[in-house]
Amino acid sequence: MVRRGRHAGAWKNVVLTQDEQFALKRRALLRQAARAFSEKGYHDTSLTDVAKALGVTKSALYYYVDDKQEILFECHKLSHDFGDQAIEYAEKHGRNGREKISLLVRTYLELLTSELGACAVLLEFNALTPANRKIIGRRRDTFEHYFRKLVQTGIADGSLRKVDPKLTVFFFMGAVNWLTRWFDPSGEHSGEHIAKEFAGLLDAAIRSR
Amino acid sequence: MVRRGRHAGAWKNVVLTQDEQFALKRRALLRQAARAFSEKGYHDTSLTDVAKALGVTKSALYYYVDDKQEILFECHKLSHDFGDQAIEYAEKHGRNGREKISLLVRTYLELLTSELGACAVLLEFNALTPANRKIIGRRRDTFEHYFRKLVQTGIADGSLRKVDPKLTVFFFMGAVNWLTRWFDPSGEHSGEHIAKEFAGLLDAAIRSR
DNA sequence: CGCTTAATTGACTACAAGGTCAATTTCTTG
DNA sequence: CAAGAAATTGACCTTGTAGTCAATTAAGCG
């Protein structure tokens, strides 16, 4: 969906500009859809439902989005942005493989849990169009590949025991993706707590003794 | 689907009885559907596709099954049977919490990977009918609850460190459910290998040092 | 062979839900 | 206020696919 522009005027108004309102509403739409997707799954979520939840008609949604698939695609992209952020952070502050992994995991989980709506969609990978699947798949591969290399680094620098990097990454990614299904922001465990606990579990699983 | 019986005759023939053939074909249908479900997801799998893969018409499927939902339901039940088997085995041969968990994990994963078709469906939980979801959900809860108690046992008997039982179980269940998405029976890692590795990772994550 | 039941087919229906579009209301601005 | 653009609506079209059913073919059996 590409927004057709309209001249924004010489100076920003105090209230929101049309473009900002557009962006805001679109975001609300994405959030609501993502929430619904994670609850009932992509295919069982009708756009009519989403629209109703937003107090609007299905037709209105199509003003902000080309089609249903675009929503899902956008959600996936948003989720992967968190991965990128986490990588950046880990790379900057970690001093060896083990530290970087702990930071990566913890940061990633904190971001995910803080804005879960966008991410609960990770499980809906095969609801993506083949074309989109290719794009998202590539991004996921990049993430996992980086993660795997981190494990190898850790083994090389002695901070980790000798585990299978590939399986270790899969092991953890599963735990994370699954998290998006049971995590409840208003539940007994806070996102930070879970992030810390999971990071601790993984760390214990792979650190050198 | 309840099979309407027909008198089976006085002695079992050398060849398959009709009932046996029925059961066999039905099983083949379930396997094929499960395979398709795990590849493309429940909703993106049309029964026409499944039928075609079996060299038959969609209508023929309805001779063995009441509806599409029954297939999914059946697959879920099958998957959980593995869980029960694994519990039984672990309970019989494990001598403390840690041992039981290792056995449970390993057995469960070996069963899953050996007949993955039936289990790749675990991710399609919310494609279940509300009624069926309740049934399967209850069964899943039972499994997870048993697992959790095992962790508590392990902590109590000193074989495990002090981890959060609930989060630990979720952590692992995620890894398992995710496995069903990437595991390839003809891939580089055998099911046994993965079972062993995963069990090792979890064990390292939670054992007392 | 000929009767009965199992098994399968193909044509058909039902319907949910994605998507379109002209018409209408609401906003913004000169 | 008036004009034009933004935003939204409701009616409608389209399609994919689950599910039905009478009719047909294949199997078993006396």
Side-chain angles (χ1 to χ4, degrees):
Chain A
M1 180 84 170
V2 185
R3 185 85 202 286
R4 52 212 164 297
R6 193 223 207 176
H7 199 61
W11 51 289
K12 281 185 183 172
N13 207 329
V14 183
V15 293
L16 297 177
T17 72
Q18 287 181 339
D19 281 344
E20 284 168 340
Q21 282 194 40
F22 180 89
L24 231 57
K25 287 188 184 176
R26 190 182 136 102
R27 239 206 137 85
L29 156 56
L30 293 181
R31 287 179 70 93
Q32 177 57 40
R35 194 155 24 227
F37 288 167
S38 63
E39 269 176 34
K40 306 183 293 178
Y42 178 71
H43 290 283
D44 274 342
T45 301
S46 76
L47 291 190
T48 308
D49 288 344
V50 175
K52 204 172 287 171
L54 293 167
V56 95
T57 318
K58 178 180 65 169
S59 304
L61 303 189
Y62 282 86
Y63 185 70
Y64 298 92
V65 157
D66 275 343
D67 51 25
K68 192 183 180 185
Q69 175 71 201
E70 185 184 336
I71 303 177
L72 184 65
F73 186 45
E74 209 77 8
C75 291
H76 268 100
K77 283 197 289 186
L78 229 60
S79 303
H80 276 292
D81 290 343
F82 291 148
D84 292 343
Q85 288 177 47
I87 287 182
E88 201 180 336
Y89 184 84
E91 200 54 58
K92 195 188 265 175
H93 296 91
R95 315 188 58 128
N96 61 23
R98 184 182 164 196
E99 274 184 30
K100 283 182 183 172
I101 286 180
S102 273
L103 287 174
L104 172 66
V105 165
R106 204 157 155 187
T107 310
Y108 187 45
L109 286 181
E110 280 174 2
L111 288 171
L112 273 186
T113 52
S114 72
E115 186 143 359
L116 191 83
C119 325
V121 192
L122 289 172
L123 291 170
E124 292 282 5
F125 181 70
N126 47 22
L128 286 167
T129 286
N132 288 340
R133 200 178 307 168
K134 209 180 264 177
I135 297 173
I136 296 299
R138 200 152 35 216
R139 232 175 130 176
R140 196 181 63 186
D141 287 348
T142 303
F143 181 77
E144 290 183 357
H145 186 252
Y146 169 80
F147 200 157
R148 207 180 308 162
K149 268 184 73 177
L150 229 46
V151 175
Q152 288 163 342
T153 304
I155 296 175
D157 69 27
S159 57
L160 301 182
R161 57 186 260 257
K162 217 160 170 300
V163 292
D164 183 319
K166 199 173 171 184
L167 291 183
T168 301
V169 171
F170 279 159
F171 183 76
F172 177 73
M173 289 309 294
V176 171
N177 290 333
W178 191 244
L179 162 70
T180 64
R181 183 156 291 171
W182 56 265
F183 176 66
D184 173 17
S186 62
E188 57 173 315
H189 294 300
S190 72
E192 287 86 11
H193 179 205
I194 294 170
K196 195 176 162 189
E197 188 81 15
F198 272 30
L201 283 170
L202 182 65
D203 184 58
I206 63 178
R207 76 170 164 226
S208 58
R209 321 175 193 168
Chain B
M1 182 84 172
V2 185
R3 185 87 201 284
R4 52 215 163 297
R6 195 228 215 173
H7 200 60
W11 51 290
K12 282 185 184 172
N13 207 330
V14 183
V15 292
L16 298 174
T17 72
Q18 288 180 337
D19 282 342
E20 284 167 341
Q21 282 194 40
F22 182 87
L24 232 56
K25 289 189 184 177
R26 191 183 136 103
R27 241 207 134 83
L29 155 55
L30 293 180
R31 288 180 69 93
Q32 176 57 39
R35 196 156 25 228
F37 288 168
S38 63
E39 268 176 34
K40 305 183 295 179
Y42 177 70
H43 289 282
D44 273 341
T45 300
S46 75
L47 291 190
T48 309
D49 288 343
V50 174
K52 205 173 288 171
L54 292 168
V56 95
T57 317
K58 179 181 65 168
S59 303
L61 304 188
Y62 282 86
Y63 185 70
Y64 297 92
V65 155
D66 277 342
D67 51 25
K68 192 183 178 184
Q69 176 70 203
E70 184 182 338
I71 303 176
L72 185 65
F73 186 46
E74 209 77 7
C75 290
H76 268 99
K77 284 196 289 186
L78 228 61
S79 303
H80 276 292
D81 289 343
F82 291 148
D84 293 344
Q85 287 177 47
I87 286 181
E88 201 180 336
Y89 185 83
E91 202 53 58
K92 193 187 269 175
H93 295 91
R95 316 188 55 125
N96 60 23
R98 184 181 164 197
E99 273 185 30
K100 283 182 183 172
I101 286 181
S102 273
L103 287 175
L104 172 66
V105 165
R106 204 157 155 188
T107 310
Y108 187 44
L109 287 180
E110 279 173 3
L111 288 171
L112 274 186
T113 52
S114 73
E115 186 144 358
L116 191 81
C119 327
V121 192
L122 289 172
L123 292 170
E124 294 281 6
F125 180 71
N126 47 24
L128 286 166
T129 286
N132 288 340
R133 199 177 310 169
K134 209 180 262 178
I135 298 172
I136 297 299
R138 200 152 33 217
R139 230 174 133 176
R140 196 181 64 186
D141 288 348
T142 303
F143 181 77
E144 290 183 357
H145 185 253
Y146 170 81
F147 200 156
R148 207 180 308 162
K149 268 184 73 178
L150 229 47
V151 175
Q152 289 164 342
T153 305
I155 296 175
D157 69 26
S159 58
L160 299 183
R161 56 186 260 256
K162 215 161 170 301
V163 292
D164 183 320
K166 197 172 173 185
L167 291 183
T168 300
V169 171
F170 279 159
F171 183 75
F172 177 72
M173 287 311 292
V176 171
N177 290 334
W178 191 243
L179 162 71
T180 63
R181 183 154 293 171
W182 57 264
F183 177 65
D184 172 18
S186 62
E188 56 174 316
H189 294 300
S190 73
E192 288 86 13
H193 179 205
I194 293 171
K196 194 175 162 189
E197 188 80 17
F198 272 30
L201 283 170
L202 183 64
D203 184 57
I206 61 178
R207 74 170 164 226
S208 59
R209 321 174 193 168

